[in-house]
Amino acid sequence: MPPTLKPLRPCHILIAGSGIAGLTLALTLETHGIPYTLLEAYPEIIPKSGAGICLLPNGLRILDQLGCYEDLIERIGGRDACMQNVYVRDEAGRALHVSDGWGETMVGRWGYSGLWCDRSTILQTIYDHIVDKWRLLTGKRVASTRHLEDSVEVTTTDGSVYTGDILVGADGTHSRVREEIVRYANEIGAGEEYDDGDQVSATYACLFGLSTTPSPSTSPSSSTPKSLPKGLLGWNLGHRYSYVLGTGPPDRTYWLLSIHMGKTYQGTEIPHFTEEDKERIVREHWDDPVTEDLRMRDLYESRLHVVVSPLREVVYKRWDCGRMVVLGDAAHKMLPIIAQGGNQAIETVAAFTNELVDALSSPPSSSPSPSPTPLSRPEITTLLTTLQATRTARLAAIIEMGQQRQKMDVLLTPELEKLMLNKFPALMPGVLVKRWDQSLPGAVSLKWLGRSGRGGVVPYEDEVGEEVGEGRKEWQEGIAKI
C-alpha cells in the first residue's frame, strides 16, 4: 500500500479478462492493497500469439508508477529500441517527411519516449510484477452474473462461483460482462439507457501484422536495398488505404494496413472477416510500396502473426449497472492510427483505481458501525458514474483525432489529398509535436502513487501546481501569453 494512503475500507474486486486492461488493473489493485480475483477465459494468462502495440508517454507514465517501465525498456533491447525515427511516405513509398532524434525530443518534452513491443511482451512484463499470482485464474469464462444483497456473484462455464463487491469487465470488444450489464439493466427496467449497439460503427478494416525484419526486395531505383530504421513510427498514405509501421525490438516489424470499406457500418451490420477475406486483402495489396525498397509482400512473407478485423469505434454511453462496470476495449474503441487504444485502456484503469481508492478512503456515508464497512450500492453507483464522467470527453476527443488523421492518410477527398501530398510534409515535425501537445497533457495517472521524476517541460494537467523545473516554467509562461 502506498505510504501516504490510510487504511482502506474492505473491498474485493472481480476482474474478467487478462488483457492489457485486466492485468494492469490487477497490478494496480495489488499496489494499493486492494484484494481481487482475476478470471481469464482462456487456458493461459499470456497468449503465445498476437500482434504488437505502440506505447506512448501517457501509458508509459502509469506503467512507470507501477514499476514496469525500466523492465519493459530492457526487454525490448534498451533505450536505443525506443522511438527515434518518424516518416510519412506517399503511395509509391517515397519519403514526404523523415526526421530522427525523437527519443530525446519526447523525453525532454513529455518525460517518456514511445516504443513498440509484442503484445505478449507488455503482458508478460505486467504479469511478472504481480506478486500474488494465485489470484490469476485461467479457464474461467464468465457464464452468468447475479446481484445479491451486498455483492455480485459470477458463475463461470466450469461451474465455479465467485463473489465480490464490484465486477470489472476487462474482457475486450466482445465483452461478456457488457452483455450481462445490458441483461441486468433490462431486468430492472433501465434497458433504454444501454440500447446503444447501433452506436458502434466501423468504416475501416485492418490487417494487424507482426513480422521478423524483412529482407527487402531490390528496387530498380536503388542498388543498395534499405531496411526500416530502428525505433520507427511511420505512416504511408494511399488512396482509400494506409499503413502504420513500427520497429523497436531487434528482428521485429509491426505493421497495420487500414482499408476504407466503402461505407460506414453500424452495429450488427459490421462485417465479420474470414481467412479468405484476409488472403484477398493481401493479394490486392501485395505489391504496395512500403519504402522505395520494401513491398507489402516482404512484410507478409516474413510474418509471425497477421489478423484481420473491422475497426470498431465507440464510447458506450453507459459503462456500468449495479455492481458491474466495463473498462478498456469493452467500454471504448478507437482507430489505431494514432496509437491510443492501449494507452487509453491503461488510462481508464488508472481513473477507475483513483475513484475506487477515493471511495475506500472515505468514511461510510451512513453507518452506525464503528468498524470500516464495505461500499454501499449507492456509493458504488456514484463511484462508477463519476469514473465515466471524468473519461468521456477525453475519449471522444481522442476518437475524433484518430478519425481525422485516418481520413487524411487514406486521401479521402481531393482536398485532403492536396493537403497531405503538398502541404502536410512542410508542416512536419511541428504538426506532430502539436498533436501530442494536445493529446498527452490531459492524461490520467495514479494519484496515490508517487511521480517518477521523469517529467518533461510540458506539464500533465494532474501535475499542475506541483514543483516543476525551469524548462517547464518557461513552457507554462509561454502558453499563458498565447
Side-chain angles (χ1 to χ4, degrees), residues 48-52 118-119 207-212 253-255 275 278 299-300 302-308:
K48 290 184 171 62
S49 62
D118 291 14
R119 203 170 192 85
L207 285 183
F208 296 88
L210 167 62
S211 301
T212 60
T253 298
Y254 307 92
W255 52 279
E275 283 297 305
K278 182 176 76 174
L299 299 173
Y300 193 72
S302 59
R303 69 191 180 279
L304 296 172
H305 179 79
V306 178
V307 65
V308 63

Side-chain angles (χ1 to χ4, degrees), residues 103-123:
E104 183 178 344
T105 297
M106 295 180 76
V107 170
R109 198 163 184 82
W110 303 290
Y112 301 85
S113 182
L115 63 87
W116 289 87
C117 66
D118 291 14
R119 203 170 192 85
S120 60
T121 300
I122 178 61
L123 293 175

Side-chain angles (χ1 to χ4, degrees), residues 51-55 71-84 114-122 125 209-214 227-233 245-255 304:
I53 183 171
C54 182
L55 294 168
D71 191 8
L72 184 59
I73 294 293
E74 182 178 348
R75 292 181 190 217
I76 68 168
R79 281 175 168 73
D80 287 346
C82 290
M83 200 174 294
Q84 300 290 342
L115 63 87
W116 289 87
C117 66
D118 291 14
R119 203 170 192 85
S120 60
T121 300
I122 178 61
T125 302
L210 167 62
S211 301
T212 60
T213 301
S227 61
L228 295 170
K230 183 187 278 190
L232 169 68
L233 176 58
L245 281 96
T247 61
D251 200 29
R252 280 291 189 270
T253 298
Y254 307 92
W255 52 279
L304 296 172

Side-chain angles (χ1 to χ4, degrees), residues 133-307:
K133 293 181 174 59
W134 57 270
R135 295 184 180 276
L136 311 174
L137 309 181
T138 58
K140 302 295 182 181
R141 185 181 300 275
V142 174
S144 63
T145 61
R146 185 164 68 108
H147 275 74
L148 307 178
E149 183 177 348
D150 58 358
S151 62
V152 59
E153 179 184 271
V154 174
T155 301
T156 57
T157 52
D158 66 355
S160 302
V161 177
Y162 304 89
T163 58
D165 294 278
I166 300 173
L167 168 61
V168 177
D171 49 348
T173 303
H174 305 289
S175 170
R176 182 73 186 94
V177 173
R178 178 158 184 85
E179 291 176 355
E180 285 295 291
I181 286 174
V182 174
R183 181 191 61 77
Y184 180 66
N186 283 313
E187 278 185 8
I188 63 175
E192 289 186 3
E193 298 180 53
Y194 299 82
D195 185 21
D196 55 0
D198 285 344
Q199 298 302 309
V200 183
S201 66
T203 305
Y204 303 89
C206 185
L207 285 183
F208 296 88
L210 167 62
S211 301
T212 60
T213 301
S215 299
S217 304
T218 303
S219 167
S221 63
S222 174
S223 59
T224 306
K226 300 176 183 177
S227 61
L228 295 170
K230 183 187 278 190
L232 169 68
L233 176 58
W235 292 274
N236 286 57
L237 314 179
H239 285 86
R240 302 183 80 80
Y241 71 91
S242 69
Y243 287 87
V244 179
L245 281 96
T247 61
D251 200 29
R252 280 291 189 270
T253 298
Y254 307 92
W255 52 279
L256 293 77
L257 167 58
S258 297
I259 303 153
H260 196 289
M261 293 193 292
K263 60 173 282 188
T264 297
Y265 295 88
Q266 303 291 147
T268 56
E269 296 179 350
I270 297 174
H272 297 276
F273 289 92
T274 64
E275 283 297 305
E276 289 74 19
D277 292 321
K278 182 176 76 174
E279 293 303 320
R280 172 182 52 80
I281 294 169
V282 168
R283 288 193 300 271
E284 290 172 354
H285 292 271
W286 188 250
D287 289 318
D288 287 354
V290 177
T291 68
E292 294 93 334
D293 313 295
L294 287 171
R295 299 292 181 266
M296 190 274 212
R297 63 176 177 266
D298 299 316
L299 299 173
Y300 193 72
E301 289 178 342
S302 59
R303 69 191 180 279
L304 296 172
H305 179 79
V306 178
V307 65

